[in-house]
Amino acid sequence: MITLETIRKDMEVRLNLDKEIKSVEVHADTLDEALADAAVQLNTKVSNLEYEVIEKGFEGFFGLASKPWTIVVYQNLETISKIAKEKDKVLMGDSDIDDEELNTDKDGEYFIRHFGNDILIKVNLPIGNGKNINHKDIISELNRPDTKNFDDKKIKHYAENGTGGVYEIVGSYTRTPANDAIFVIDIAKDEMKATCTINAPSLGGADVSPEMIINSLKNQGVVAGISNEKIDALIDNPVYNVPTVVAEAVLPVDGRDAYIAYNFETDRSKIRAKEAANGQVNFKELNLIQNVVEGQPLAQKMLPERGRSGKTLFGRYLEAKNGRDINLPLGKNVTVDTDGRTILAAVNGQVLLINDKINVEPIMEVDGVNIKTGNITFLGTVIVKGNVEDGFDIKASGNIEINGAVGKSRLESDGDIIVSQGVMGRDEGEIICGGTLWAKFIQNTKVTVQENVIVTDSIMNSDVSAQKRIILQGKRAQITGGHLFATETVLAKNIGSVGGGTETVIEVGYDPKAKHRLSELLEMQSNNLKELEELELNIQTLENQKKIRKTLPKDKDDNLRKFLSRKDEIISENENFNAEIQSIQAHLRELKNIGKIYASGTVYAGVKIYVRDEKDEVRADVKSVTFYYDNGFVRRGKYEQPEFDDIKGPDGYSTN
């Protein structure tokens, strides 16, 4: 039910909000400029403003006969309400704006003022554990000779509940106008500051009210910069006979210059080694390379901001500088997005800031790979002028070119790998190559190559797998020990060793990756069959017990369900294995290139030759020979020098 009291309270709230509304009259060439200027004066956002057009502006013709806009701008009620609520929160100790204020205890305070013929009080409630206000203290202070009357109930109510930051009438007094406080407004010559100097009132005299100061400022021509906060603070805690600032010019704010926001670390000294989960630092993972991919945003230009002009107290404009624009720092292999200010990588590689320009380098050059560089992971080609030391790895999306030697390391490349001085893996080194591997020699290393392996000296005690060919052509061209796979061809001068001290196995005529996968599948299928036999035995035992007893203990019943579930899984897995095995076997049977092994020198006794799964174990040294497949057997023919016209190698490496 709506009562008179409800309406009165609503009207009080509305009145308080109306009192908080601040308005300014603004003149500007455009409506947007006028609103921006008003936002500065009212210290708020343009979106929080409402306005009335006093006089509509006109652009004129070619700048002639133009007329500025004149509008009155004020904050909307919703914004005022939000501000009032925040003030109430602060007074009630509920604001989360400033944690320091929340943690500060503050006693309640009250102010007694004589405005006109009335006695008014303002009460701020305590904060935190601050002391409450005793209304008797207020009454005691009001008991003075010039007081006519006051309302005890109102005073007690306001002492307990506060006045909401405003002065409320609680009584009247006998006023003697001659004893009123006197104030003087002084405005600086540069129109930047106005001060108010107050002489204290005598008994029976009225205090200076905020409205009196504001009206005096406006009467003297002040139209901007009036500070209600400063005026209220002066009224609450007056400092007599001392000039106090009550209005200040709205200072211009220069616009921020344009700048570049980088998406990568531009200060390489801040790049740190990778830290493991246990907190230990892996000094092989130094993270010195900042890889980027084509199309990746590298940086963005933040546009310059327009300056916000100021105003003197009398409304004279104070010019502000607009922010300066800058050019995009475009270097090599970068491009600009459609927005005109986002810099993108044009290629894969590492992003670098060189001479204040952004570059993407698709090729990385280092003197060597060691403790100084750490492991290298790079989206491009890596060129190493020296050696790759033991324990350090290289991973590249392009080629890897090494002018020195490679130790007990791992090389992985989507392109070719070139090693000028050879590889000494010490049984732990590994090379994975998406193209062709070129090397002087390979020792005790596992090698997997998608195309060709081309060596000028020797391959010793290594597992080498090539999807196409393994070619050794040099003065030695020796294969000694290890296991070599190639789909098409293996070519060397000598294969094996005198006396057959180390086992040498050469296989051609099939896809080595498919062959390896076939071996894995057959082994997994064999393991599954063994497990299936054990499961069948356990299931049969438990089911027999269930037939005899009709029920099983819970643990055995659970085991039976697990065994049955696992049996279904194995059957399903074996079906998948069988399908993949049949597919691989069909692929191996359909290979058009049956494979050949060429040896221009000697194939020593003990070497095992496989061509399309058919075996030929060399029992006596054989010279100048070609091994090939014919009607289910491995045949030996006269050595023929093969031609490899499709292989074009880097400088210093040849297949002929």
Side-chain angles (χ1 to χ4, degrees):
M1 180 178 177
I2 299 176
T3 63
L4 185 60
E5 182 64 22
T6 304
I7 296 174
R8 188 185 68 79
K9 287 182 178 179
D10 288 343
M11 292 300 294
E12 283 183 0
V13 171
R14 173 67 65 173
L15 180 61
N16 289 333
L17 289 177
D18 289 342
K19 288 180 180 178
E20 292 289 334
I21 293 178
K22 305 170 187 177
S23 64
V24 292
E25 184 174 311
V26 185
H27 308 274
D29 293 336
T30 67
L31 181 60
D32 288 341
E33 288 181 0
L35 289 171
D37 181 30
V40 173
Q41 294 190 49
L42 295 174
N43 193 27
T44 187
K45 299 178 181 177
V46 173
S47 58
N48 295 335
L49 299 178
E50 295 181 2
Y51 64 93
E52 297 176 5
V53 177
I54 305 301
E55 187 173 3
K56 190 173 181 180
F58 179 63
E59 292 183 1
F61 299 98
F62 303 103
L64 300 175
S66 60
K67 185 170 65 175
W69 287 74
T70 301
I71 61 174
V72 173
V73 186
Y74 50 89
Q75 288 177 294
N76 59 42
L77 285 176
E78 185 179 351
T79 304
I80 296 296
S81 178
K82 287 181 180 179
I83 295 173
K85 287 179 180 178
E86 290 299 331
K87 287 183 178 180
D88 290 343
K89 286 182 180 180
V90 172
L91 291 172
M92 296 299 293
D94 292 334
S95 176
D96 56 358
I97 296 173
D98 192 336
D99 291 337
E100 188 175 344
E101 288 185 9
L102 282 175
N103 297 327
T104 301
D105 296 330
K106 186 177 180 181
D107 294 343
E109 57 184 353
Y110 65 90
F111 308 94
I112 299 175
R113 294 292 175 267
H114 296 72
F115 296 151
N117 297 317
D118 298 318
I119 302 174
L120 300 89
I121 65 170
K122 180 165 77 172
V123 177
N124 294 333
L125 296 175
I127 297 174
N129 295 320
K131 295 179 181 179
N132 292 317
I133 295 172
N134 189 337
H135 74 284
K136 293 181 179 179
D137 294 336
I138 302 176
I139 292 174
S140 176
E141 194 169 332
L142 288 175
N143 284 322
R144 39 183 254 185
D146 59 346
T147 300
K148 285 184 179 179
N149 56 70
F150 52 80
D151 190 329
D152 289 351
K153 291 183 179 179
K154 275 190 176 183
I155 294 172
K156 186 175 182 180
H157 171 77
Y158 291 137
E160 293 175 353
N161 301 290
T163 61
V166 298
Y167 281 92
E168 297 286 355
I169 298 173
V170 293
S172 61
Y173 72 107
T174 302
R175 181 182 177 187
T176 305
N179 294 338
D180 286 352
I182 300 172
F183 70 96
V184 177
I185 299 294
D186 291 313
I187 299 174
K189 291 182 179 180
D190 60 3
E191 306 173 18
M192 300 299 287
K193 189 179 295 184
T195 60
C196 176
T197 305
I198 302 176
N199 292 326
S202 301
L203 185 64
D207 293 295
V208 176
S209 69
E211 292 75 16
M212 293 168 66
I213 296 175
I214 292 171
N215 290 335
S216 178
L217 287 167
K218 290 182 177 179
N219 290 337
Q220 295 189 52
V222 175
V223 295
I226 297 175
S227 174
N228 291 316
E229 291 78 11
K230 286 183 171 61
I231 293 172
D232 289 343
L234 177 61
I235 298 303
D236 290 344
N237 298 288
V239 180
Y240 297 116
N241 303 315
V242 175
T244 303
V245 176
V246 290
E248 290 180 293
V250 179
L251 297 177
V253 179
D254 291 341
R256 186 196 63 207
D257 293 341
Y259 68 94
I260 302 297
Y262 295 94
N263 297 336
F264 60 95
E265 182 54 68
T266 59
D267 185 354
R268 293 179 63 83
S269 65
K270 293 181 180 179
I271 299 175
R272 294 290 181 264
K274 187 176 181 180
E275 187 174 297
N278 60 4
Q280 293 182 341
V281 175
N282 183 356
F283 288 101
K284 291 183 181 179
E285 300 289 347
L286 298 180
N287 293 328
L288 297 177
I289 303 167
Q290 299 185 82
N291 286 300
V292 295
V293 298
E294 181 181 352
Q296 180 176 333
L298 306 177
Q300 186 176 45
K301 181 174 83 170
M302 309 309 290
L303 298 177
E305 292 182 349
R306 292 187 60 184
R308 290 182 293 175
S309 59
K311 270 190 177 183
T312 67
L313 298 180
F314 292 159
R316 182 171 56 84
Y317 276 92
L318 298 173
E319 293 295 331
K321 296 180 181 178
N322 291 327
R324 293 178 299 173
D325 200 1
I326 58 174
N327 295 322
L328 289 173
L330 301 177
K332 296 186 298 182
N333 300 315
V334 296
T335 185
V336 182
D337 203 355
T338 53
D339 63 3
R341 57 195 187 97
T342 301
I343 301 173
L344 307 175
V347 296
N348 295 347
Q350 67 169 329
V351 59
L352 298 169
L353 191 66
I354 303 173
N355 296 327
D356 294 327
K357 293 187 181 297
I358 298 173
N359 298 266
V360 176
E361 295 290 349
I363 299 175
M364 178 184 183
E365 292 191 22
V366 293
D367 292 332
V369 180
N370 46 45
I371 192 67
K372 292 183 179 179
T373 62
N375 296 334
I376 291 178
T377 300
F378 185 61
L379 292 176
T381 292
V382 176
I383 298 176
V384 182
K385 297 178 181 178
N387 300 329
V388 180
E389 296 185 5
D390 288 348
F392 290 92
D393 306 332
I394 301 177
K395 186 175 182 180
S397 65
N399 297 339
I400 298 176
E401 300 178 22
I402 300 165
N403 294 330
V406 176
K408 186 173 60 178
S409 303
R410 177 185 171 92
L411 306 181
E412 186 174 351
S413 169
D414 292 341
D416 296 337
I417 296 179
I418 304 160
V419 185
S420 298
Q421 298 302 317
V423 183
M424 294 170 285
R426 297 183 179 85
D427 295 325
E428 295 183 29
E430 184 177 7
I431 295 176
I432 300 173
C433 178
T436 293
L437 170 63
W438 305 77
K440 185 175 182 181
F441 62 85
I442 300 172
Q443 293 181 7
N444 302 90
T445 304
K446 182 179 180 181
V447 177
T448 305
V449 175
Q450 289 298 310
E451 294 185 5
N452 305 298
V453 175
I454 300 173
V455 176
T456 59
D457 196 341
S458 64
I459 297 177
M460 297 180 62
N461 301 319
S462 297
D463 288 340
V464 180
S465 173
Q467 289 292 107
K468 290 186 177 181
R469 311 177 185 101
I470 299 174
I471 301 170
L472 289 86
Q473 280 194 306
K475 291 182 179 180
R476 292 184 60 191
Q478 175 83 29
I479 298 174
T480 305
H483 201 155
L484 277 65
F485 301 83
T487 300
E488 299 178 12
T489 304
V490 173
L491 169 68
K493 183 177 181 181
N494 301 315
I495 301 175
S497 59
V498 178
T502 57
E503 184 180 59
T504 305
V505 180
I506 311 293
E507 299 189 46
V508 294
Y510 62 85
D511 183 341
K513 286 180 69 175
K515 182 76 172 181
H516 288 149
R517 178 59 179 166
L518 181 61
S519 298
E520 290 176 357
L521 289 169
L522 291 172
E523 184 178 357
M524 288 189 291
Q525 189 180 57
S526 175
N527 293 335
N528 271 358
L529 290 174
K530 290 178 183 178
E531 185 181 353
L532 188 59
E533 288 178 4
E534 293 180 5
L535 285 171
E536 289 282 11
L537 182 60
N538 291 331
I539 290 170
Q540 187 176 359
T541 301
L542 291 172
E543 286 182 340
N544 288 336
Q545 290 179 9
K546 190 172 184 179
K547 286 180 182 179
I548 296 170
R549 299 180 180 180
K550 295 187 178 180
T551 58
L552 289 173
K554 186 177 184 305
D555 57 340
K556 290 186 178 182
D557 195 48
D558 290 342
N559 286 337
L560 178 59
R561 281 196 294 270
K562 289 179 183 177
F563 292 152
L564 290 170
S565 175
R566 178 57 184 154
K567 178 183 174 181
D568 292 339
E569 288 178 5
I570 290 175
I571 291 173
S572 177
E573 285 177 3
N574 280 345
E575 288 176 355
N576 294 332
F577 289 160
N578 285 332
E580 190 174 355
I581 287 169
Q582 290 174 9
S583 175
I584 292 173
Q585 288 174 338
H587 167 67
L588 293 175
R589 285 193 299 269
E590 291 170 0
L591 282 176
K592 294 179 181 179
N593 194 316
I594 60 175
K596 290 184 179 181
I597 299 171
Y598 301 92
S600 60
T602 303
V603 179
Y604 293 99
V607 174
K608 296 176 183 177
I609 301 293
Y610 291 87
V611 183
R612 294 192 66 180
D613 284 337
E614 298 301 326
K615 179 181 178 182
D616 181 3
E617 186 168 355
V618 179
R619 301 187 182 280
D621 295 355
V622 58
K623 295 181 180 295
S624 189
V625 63
T626 299
F627 296 89
Y628 61 95
Y629 180 84
D630 182 34
N631 292 325
F633 294 95
V634 177
R635 306 292 186 183
R636 301 180 185 181
K638 187 178 178 181
Y639 174 76
E640 305 169 356
Q641 178 64 40
E643 296 290 334
F644 303 116
D645 295 334
D646 60 322
I647 301 178
K648 295 181 180 180
D651 294 340
Y653 292 87
S654 175
T655 60
N656 295 314

